[in-house]
Amino acid sequence: MAKLQFSLDGNSLGEFELNKERTTIGRRPANDIHIDNLAVSGEHAVITTIGNDSFLEDMNSTNGTLVNNKPIKKHVLHHNDIIEFGKYQLLYVNQAQANMPPNHGGFENTVVLRPTRLTVAEAETAKKSEEKLAEEKPAEAMPADEKAAESNAESAPPEVVKSPVENAPKMGRLKILTGTNSGREMVLNKALTTLGKPGAQVAVITKRPNGYFITHVEGEHLPSINGLKISPQAYALSEHDIIDIAGLKMEFFLA
């Protein structure tokens, strides 16, 4: 679980675990992290955490929020990021990120690529297991009236039984259209998926009960959908939308 180490002028003031989706920071006592200082606004900032991912948003505070000495409005947090509110500091500690193996950065550094065939294979394995279990189950004695009902059922048109693959709900996917990973697909099976290049342009795709939404998080320029810049608010993705972020184009679809 990610946490924040709170300090003032190098002196530790305690720790806060990011154990809920929304953690508020500000001068008002009702905030999850209460900083009683005039340099801090009543509702200064908020950290949204989904799974192992967290991102910070400044809530239009008077004096702003710094991350690693740079002012931000929205920022995807990374292990050892230092968040500053005046003289107060919050060190973001995420061991799940720290323990991740290093790679070559870029697109693969911010998303999880998972081949589609794995999902199909798992479903086919489950189907075979069910069929084997049905073959091994011993037959039981059947009353006469149930035998008659079964005989009538045999004369009726056969019922089409869908396989586990057909019954599975459709999952969002991204197909990479440009770059060295062109043609590869990514399954959007996480509650929150981060896209882009940290420090340049970053967005997150959130998986909600009513669909998939993309939100700009970091960078001066907003991502484009089908050639048009999106607004700073969450944008609902539709089938075959073309996402352009950090110079990379991807197609969103359901399968």
Side-chain angles (χ1 to χ4, degrees):
M1 182 183 299
K3 62 183 178 181
L4 298 170
Q5 295 179 350
F6 191 30
S7 64
L8 172 63
D9 294 331
N11 298 313
S12 177
L13 300 177
E15 290 185 350
F16 297 92
E17 291 188 344
L18 296 175
N19 54 7
K20 62 181 189 176
E21 183 174 334
R22 182 181 172 88
T23 302
T24 59
I25 305 167
R27 193 174 71 249
R28 294 178 182 172
N31 285 286
D32 298 302
I33 300 177
H34 175 218
I35 304 177
D36 189 10
N37 187 280
L38 293 177
V40 179
S41 297
E43 296 178 355
H44 197 106
V46 63
I47 295 176
T48 302
T49 300
I50 302 177
N52 288 324
D53 301 306
S54 299
F55 67 91
L56 169 71
E57 180 178 1
D58 182 88
M59 304 300 287
N60 297 316
S61 65
T62 302
N63 296 312
T65 301
L66 300 179
V67 175
N68 303 328
N69 294 318
K70 294 181 180 180
I72 61 94
K73 290 298 292 180
K74 295 180 180 180
H75 175 81
V76 178
L77 289 168
H78 302 278
H79 180 62
N80 283 337
D81 274 351
I82 298 176
I83 309 166
E84 296 181 75
F85 308 97
K87 295 182 179 180
Y88 292 86
Q89 292 185 337
L90 289 168
L91 175 65
Y92 178 72
V93 179
N94 189 330
Q95 289 301 326
Q97 291 182 357
N99 295 334
M100 289 178 64
N103 52 36
H104 297 291
F107 183 79
E108 290 187 347
N109 197 31
T110 56
V111 297
V112 177
L113 293 174
R114 185 167 297 174
T116 304
R117 66 174 180 273
L118 293 181
T119 303
V120 176
E122 290 169 359
E124 290 177 346
T125 300
K127 180 183 177 182
K128 290 178 181 178
S129 298
E130 292 177 0
E131 291 174 347
K132 184 177 180 181
L133 182 62
E135 292 173 357
E136 294 175 350
K137 185 177 181 180
E140 297 178 356
M142 184 181 298
D145 55 346
E146 291 187 13
K147 289 182 179 180
E150 185 182 62
S151 176
N152 292 334
E154 288 177 354
S155 61
E159 181 182 355
V160 178
V161 179
K162 293 185 178 181
S163 70
V165 176
E166 294 172 323
N167 284 326
K170 289 188 176 181
M171 185 75 70
R173 285 171 166 78
L174 290 177
K175 182 177 182 180
I176 306 172
L177 303 178
T178 58
T180 57
N181 291 310
S182 179
R184 296 183 68 180
E185 292 183 5
M186 178 183 67
V187 181
L188 299 174
N189 54 1
K190 296 172 61 180
L192 184 150
T193 302
T194 306
L195 305 174
K197 295 180 180 179
Q201 191 178 36
V202 177
V204 294
I205 293 180
T206 53
K207 180 174 178 281
R208 304 179 186 176
N210 57 337
Y212 290 83
F213 294 78
I214 184 169
T215 306
H216 174 69
V217 173
E218 182 181 342
E220 181 179 353
H221 301 289
L222 298 169
S224 297
I225 305 292
N226 303 324
L228 299 175
K229 299 288 185 183
I230 65 172
S231 71
Q233 307 302 318
Y235 178 93
L237 289 169
S238 300
E239 187 91 3
H240 303 303
D241 274 349
I242 304 298
I243 303 168
D244 190 340
I245 181 169
L248 192 70
K249 289 187 177 181
M250 296 162 280
E251 180 184 1
F252 170 80
F253 65 99
L254 297 169

